[in-house]
Amino acid sequence: MRLSNAILRGVSGAYLLQSGLGKKDAPVEVYEHLQGMAATGIPQFKEWDAKAFGQFLWISEAAIGGLLLTPFVSKRLAGIALTAFSAGMLTMYFNNDEMTQEDGIRPSQEGTPLSKDAWLTAIGLALVLQSKK
């Protein structure tokens, strides 16, 4: 594994693993809030039970973080998983007017935490493109 690849995978993997595990034992009210935000990007999440959504979210984040941190998982698979997850997160960012400034692209103060998914998408795409060599 190239050092540049290890850095991309290590930073994003550790971030997602920590984020997912941090949500593992969250109260249902936190899951309800996260579910409401997620439903702005993916409306089908409104139909889920809040606890089931929370479990899905933390397991997804932790699993993708684990994929990225596991060296024998291919760059392509890890990149596709990261790109899909972060693109889903960006749908919340772009479909929620409070997250962006008037131009619909630059983050507002409320959108700054979610705008970080742009760099996760970029890392995912870089991993996929590196695997084409």
Side-chain angles (χ1 to χ4, degrees), residues 2-81:
R2 294 174 38 200
L3 180 58
S4 60
N5 184 268
I7 292 168
L8 290 173
R9 291 177 71 150
V11 170
S12 57
Y15 183 89
L16 281 174
L17 182 62
Q18 171 62 29
S19 179
L21 292 177
K23 293 176 180 84
K24 182 177 183 240
D25 296 317
V28 73
E29 295 81 21
V30 170
Y31 292 156
E32 288 169 348
H33 174 72
L34 293 171
Q35 180 184 22
M37 285 182 57
T40 64
I42 302 171
Q44 293 82 356
F45 283 143
K46 287 180 190 173
E47 301 168 14
W48 289 36
D49 172 72
K51 185 168 177 146
F53 173 79
Q55 296 295 304
F56 169 76
L57 181 60
W58 85 257
I59 291 169
S60 296
E61 284 184 320
I64 294 167
L67 278 175
L68 289 159
L69 293 170
T70 305
F72 60 81
V73 173
S74 74
K75 291 184 271 196
R76 184 174 174 80
L77 177 61
I80 288 170

Side-chain angles (χ1 to χ4, degrees), residues 20 25 67 71 84 86 97 125:
D25 296 317
L67 278 175
S86 59
D97 292 336
L125 291 172

Side-chain angles (χ1 to χ4, degrees), residues 14 21 30-31 51 63 67 77 85-86 89 91 96-97 100 103 108-109 111 123:
L21 292 177
V30 170
Y31 292 156
K51 185 168 177 146
L67 278 175
L77 177 61
F85 180 79
S86 59
M89 298 294 284
T91 63
N96 191 331
D97 292 336
T100 61
D103 61 11
S108 63
Q109 186 162 349
I123 291 170

